[in-house]
Amino acid sequence: MSGNNPSTASPLNPDEQDKLRELTTQSWNLELAISGVAMFAILQLPDLLESAFSYIRYNYMTQTEGATVMLPSMVYSLIRATCHVLFAAFLANFVMRAFWVGLVGLLAVFPSGIHYDRIPFSTPYTQQRLADEFGPLDRYILWLDKRCNIVFALAFQFVFLLVVVAILYLLGLLVYLVVQPNVTPNVWFGVKIALGILMALFLLTSILLSQKKIKDTPRGTQLNYQFTKVGRLMMLGMYKHSAYVTNTFYTNIRPGKLLQTAAIFIIVFFGVFFLEYANDISRTSGRMPLFNSRHLYSARVDSLYIEPTAYDNQRPEGAFVSTASIQSDVIREPYLRLFIAYPKALDTKLRQVVPEPVWSDTLSRQARRQQRAIWSNQQINRLIRITVNDSTYTQPNLLFTKAGVQEQHGWQTVMVPGNLKTGHNLLRVALQDPRKKEADELVAIPFWYVPEP
């Protein structure tokens, strides 16, 4: 047995038991402090998550579809739901423990507690029923203390869950946002098949080793225990710490009551998760109203939809430009100031379309940087196709820039179209892949030209 692991074979000596009892009786003040600090930290976490997720959404979820979009949104909502439940748990502990402190102070003032036979305006029968129903004050204080300890332990179980989910989130992003774009579709399909097979084998093995005929044999018992170690890996180092809490509940609470409590928690947790995910989808994908749809309303076509972030005068401060933007929805000047965003998802596509040439080793580092800058500018001006109404700009003279407080990477140009018409106009931005005949449209921005008199 390792010296780092507690062992049931070495119980605490009397001095250690007294020390543990002393720590237990004095833990309430630490619970109050930890709960307060934890609630403050949890309140700060959503803003940090929103900032990080906004960066991920812009850089990796634009120009993408499928699991690459769904996975980050689902896990982001899962983390937020966990934060809500965690905050509620710490808040419940804080309120219960503060109430407990008040009752302890009250008992110190009135050591004899409640005298039910002295309750005014009540009959002896009522006094006896109240005494039987509520019991003495000190017993209620002890009962409340136990409940506070249970809620506090459960709150840290949520902390362990949040840490594991966050780590799995990062691993999932690493796979979907880094590995997938850099392998061929056939390789990625093989990876998904392999992961599916491994998951199916894991579930099948779990079912087989749980069968009583196999589990009761000496060899089956060993295999069942070894298989549980595989499941521990999914806890990413949190299994040992959470197991002390979990196993304590398992061995001290009736299975039926424990199952009922777990079912209530799962229903509440996933209810919060569903609401958070639906809210995130409605907020980030304004074109997909889930609970506020209309019969004759469809925002699937860019040219038929006004996207506020596509206009500099309507975009909230600090918000990312989703694809491209112009100065206003109503243009008074005879020119268009166009900004085209350059997220990393688009960068992945551009790397496939235009591989970087091999530069001469005889050039200095500064010279190579200059040549690469000129080459990249030439390539993007060749690939980006801008159309205003029926006129196409094959060489839009795009220049590199950083826009807004987010310093968003992209290209900017100023165009003076000669075919602007008073009223409705349409600007389209497309990517012309040399390997394709048709250009891939990135965005279509409607605007109105009202020249100054």
Side-chain angles (χ1 to χ4, degrees):
M1 182 71 65
S2 173
N4 295 328
N5 296 325
S7 173
T8 57
S10 57
L12 299 178
N13 58 47
D15 292 338
E16 291 174 331
Q17 292 178 355
D18 292 339
K19 182 65 175 178
L20 178 60
R21 191 176 298 109
E22 180 183 355
L23 292 174
T24 303
T25 57
Q26 298 297 325
S27 65
W28 63 267
N29 49 1
L30 292 177
E31 285 186 29
L32 283 172
I34 293 174
S35 296
V37 173
M39 286 189 293
F40 176 78
I42 293 171
L43 289 176
Q44 309 305 312
L45 189 58
D47 292 336
L48 179 62
L49 287 173
E50 178 64 27
S51 177
F53 188 66
S54 295
Y55 176 84
I56 293 172
R57 181 188 296 118
Y58 159 68
N59 276 290
Y60 294 102
M61 294 171 60
T62 54
Q63 311 295 331
T64 57
E65 58 185 10
T68 307
V69 176
M70 185 179 298
L71 178 66
S73 296
M74 291 186 65
V75 181
Y76 170 69
S77 300
L78 183 63
I79 293 178
R80 286 184 62 93
T82 305
C83 287
H84 294 326
V85 176
L86 187 59
F87 179 83
F90 277 116
L91 179 62
N93 176 76
F94 186 85
V95 173
M96 292 169 61
R97 183 58 73 179
F99 179 56
W100 177 86
V101 171
L103 292 179
V104 171
L106 187 63
L107 185 64
V109 178
F110 303 102
S112 58
I114 303 174
H115 296 278
Y116 288 98
D117 57 342
R118 301 180 187 176
I119 296 178
F121 311 110
S122 61
T123 64
Y125 176 77
T126 302
Q127 294 172 353
Q128 183 60 43
R129 291 299 301 268
L130 290 175
D132 295 339
E133 183 177 352
F134 292 102
L137 178 61
D138 52 1
R139 184 173 297 277
Y140 175 73
I141 292 175
L142 182 61
W143 177 89
L144 185 60
D145 177 67
K146 293 179 179 179
R147 295 306 181 274
C148 290
N149 293 331
I150 291 175
V151 171
F152 195 68
L154 285 176
F156 271 92
Q157 283 292 81
F158 298 150
V159 171
F160 296 142
L161 175 63
L162 179 61
V163 171
V164 172
V165 169
I167 295 176
L168 291 175
Y169 178 38
L170 293 177
L171 293 177
L173 285 180
L174 182 66
V175 172
Y176 271 99
L177 305 181
V178 178
V179 177
Q180 180 188 11
N182 294 290
V183 297
T184 63
N186 292 334
V187 173
W188 178 245
F189 180 75
V191 171
K192 292 193 293 184
I193 292 297
L195 291 177
I197 293 175
L198 288 177
M199 184 175 296
L201 289 176
F202 179 83
L203 294 176
L204 181 61
T205 305
S206 177
I207 294 173
L208 291 176
L209 293 179
S210 299
Q211 299 298 317
K212 184 176 180 60
K213 294 181 179 180
I214 299 178
K215 188 169 57 176
D216 291 344
T217 63
R219 182 58 178 169
T221 301
Q222 294 179 355
L223 291 176
N224 184 277
Y225 176 74
Q226 295 296 329
F227 185 74
T228 58
K229 291 186 175 181
V230 178
R232 297 179 190 180
L233 297 177
M234 299 183 63
M235 292 296 293
L236 304 175
M238 295 291 110
Y239 175 80
K240 176 182 176 181
H241 310 290
S242 64
Y244 284 110
V245 179
T246 304
N247 292 332
T248 301
F249 286 134
Y250 282 164
T251 55
N252 289 275
I253 300 178
R254 291 184 292 104
K257 186 176 181 181
L258 185 63
L259 183 61
Q260 180 182 4
T261 304
I264 294 174
F265 166 74
I266 291 174
I267 293 173
V268 172
F269 180 80
F270 280 98
V272 175
F273 163 70
F274 174 77
L275 292 177
E276 188 65 43
Y277 182 65
N279 177 67
D280 181 64
I281 292 297
S282 299
R283 180 170 51 87
T284 59
S285 302
R287 306 189 185 195
M288 300 168 57
L290 298 179
F291 304 109
N292 196 23
S293 61
R294 301 290 190 275
H295 174 55
L296 295 180
Y297 182 92
S298 178
R300 298 291 184 176
V301 180
D302 289 344
S303 59
L304 302 177
Y305 179 73
I306 297 295
E307 173 61 58
T309 60
Y311 309 101
D312 296 339
N313 66 330
Q314 295 187 19
R315 188 169 57 255
E317 184 178 359
F320 282 108
V321 177
S322 58
T323 305
S325 70
I326 56 178
Q327 65 265 40
S328 175
D329 56 333
V330 178
I331 304 297
R332 307 299 300 271
E333 310 88 357
Y335 63 84
L336 294 174
R337 185 173 60 248
L338 173 64
F339 173 80
I340 303 174
Y342 188 8
K344 292 186 178 296
L346 181 59
D347 184 62
T348 302
K349 182 181 295 185
L350 292 176
R351 284 178 179 271
Q352 299 172 352
V353 173
V354 185
E356 184 174 350
V358 179
W359 307 104
S360 174
D361 295 335
T362 60
L363 297 175
S364 64
R365 178 180 298 180
Q366 184 64 24
R368 284 200 299 269
R369 288 178 177 176
Q370 291 180 352
Q371 286 198 7
R372 188 185 186 283
I374 295 173
W375 168 82
S376 59
N377 182 262
Q378 291 173 345
Q379 299 306 313
I380 200 61
N381 276 282
R382 181 175 63 90
L383 295 174
I384 294 295
R385 175 175 294 180
I386 302 173
T387 303
V388 179
N389 296 329
D390 56 354
S391 297
T392 301
Y393 293 77
T394 55
Q395 289 294 328
N397 296 318
L398 295 167
L399 300 177
F400 302 113
T401 187
K402 294 181 181 180
V405 296
Q406 302 277 12
E407 294 191 345
Q408 185 174 359
H409 289 70
W411 306 281
Q412 183 171 313
T413 187
V414 176
M415 301 181 298
V416 187
N419 63 333
L420 291 180
K421 53 187 178 181
T422 302
H424 182 267
N425 294 263
L426 184 63
L427 180 144
R428 297 179 182 272
V429 180
L431 177 65
Q432 181 59 66
D433 189 338
R435 301 169 299 181
K436 300 179 181 178
K437 293 182 179 180
E438 300 293 333
D440 297 326
E441 184 171 281
L442 301 179
V443 67
I445 304 176
F447 65 95
W448 286 261
Y449 177 55
V450 184
E452 296 180 352

